[in-house]
Amino acid sequence: MTLELTKFGHSCVRIADGDRRLVLDPGGFSQTDAALDGVDDVLITHEHTDHIDVERVAGAATRNPRLRIWAPAPVAALLPQLQDQIVVVAPGQQHEVAGFAVRTFGGQHALIHPSIPVIANVGFLVEECVYHPGDSLFVPPVPVRTLLLPIHAPWNKGAEVIDFAISV
């Protein structure tokens, strides 16, 4: 199996293998419409606008009733009109998403600042190969061949990101 990864800006990545296609984190700083074109499923790590463009994701789901959105509960709450197309995920689960084996890890966004509440963040491991942690520094307890490393965010610190990369 050869997975093709295409980056659409910021944290948005499409994973494809033949007819199987999914998108991770189509947010507001991404080429969201292009990323969502022709995909079957969308994985969203957390509710921040740089990881989900609610309007564009809702539009894509409305145009394609077969599209499924896999996300933590706070993201599902942002899309009440699409509840039958949303699968709420939490850490420690396994799913088949767009024909790919997907495992979930983590649980919380990395600390931005002590005065800002920590929110839910689920990392996704696709085909035991590609790990998209969103904005979490949770190290999965399994080998990872390809890490989509969060390197540019107001919350991250260089040393912590390097430690995370080494640990993964």
Side-chain angles (χ1 to χ4, degrees):
M1 166 186 24
T2 301
L3 299 180
E4 178 181 308
L5 279 64
T6 305
K7 186 168 174 66
F8 286 90
H10 194 61
S11 63
C12 182
V13 174
R14 180 167 43 200
I15 299 177
D17 176 26
D19 291 337
R20 303 183 301 166
R21 291 175 302 281
L22 64 82
V23 168
L24 294 117
D25 282 1
F29 301 149
S30 306
Q31 300 159 321
T32 304
D33 291 331
L36 292 169
D37 185 35
V39 300
D40 305 305
D41 291 273
V42 178
L43 301 173
I44 300 171
T45 60
H46 65 285
E47 65 196 86
H48 287 157
T49 58
D50 57 332
H51 292 260
I52 177 173
D53 184 322
V54 172
E55 183 178 315
R56 287 195 164 91
V57 169
T62 300
R63 288 187 300 278
N64 178 4
R66 293 185 323 270
L67 182 80
R68 294 290 171 262
I69 301 162
W70 305 73
V75 173
L78 298 173
L79 300 162
Q81 72 280 25
L82 299 173
Q83 290 306 305
D84 58 339
Q85 289 178 261
I86 296 176
V87 179
V88 174
V89 298
Q93 298 176 338
Q94 296 183 42
H95 300 278
E96 184 175 313
V97 180
F100 295 99
V102 175
R103 295 173 65 187
T104 56
F105 295 97
Q108 293 186 331
H109 192 286
L111 180 67
I112 297 171
H113 187 269
S115 67
I116 299 173
V118 176
I119 64 167
N121 186 120
V122 174
F124 295 100
L125 179 63
V126 179
E127 289 293 322
E128 298 295 321
C129 180
V130 179
Y131 182 53
H132 191 313
D135 285 346
S136 171
L137 297 178
F138 181 85
V139 177
V142 296
V144 172
R145 290 190 297 194
T146 302
L147 172 63
L148 304 178
L149 185 65
I151 60 169
H152 181 67
W155 57 266
N156 67 13
K157 298 166 193 74
E160 288 179 357
V161 173
I162 291 169
D163 287 343
F164 174 64
I166 290 169
S167 296
V168 171

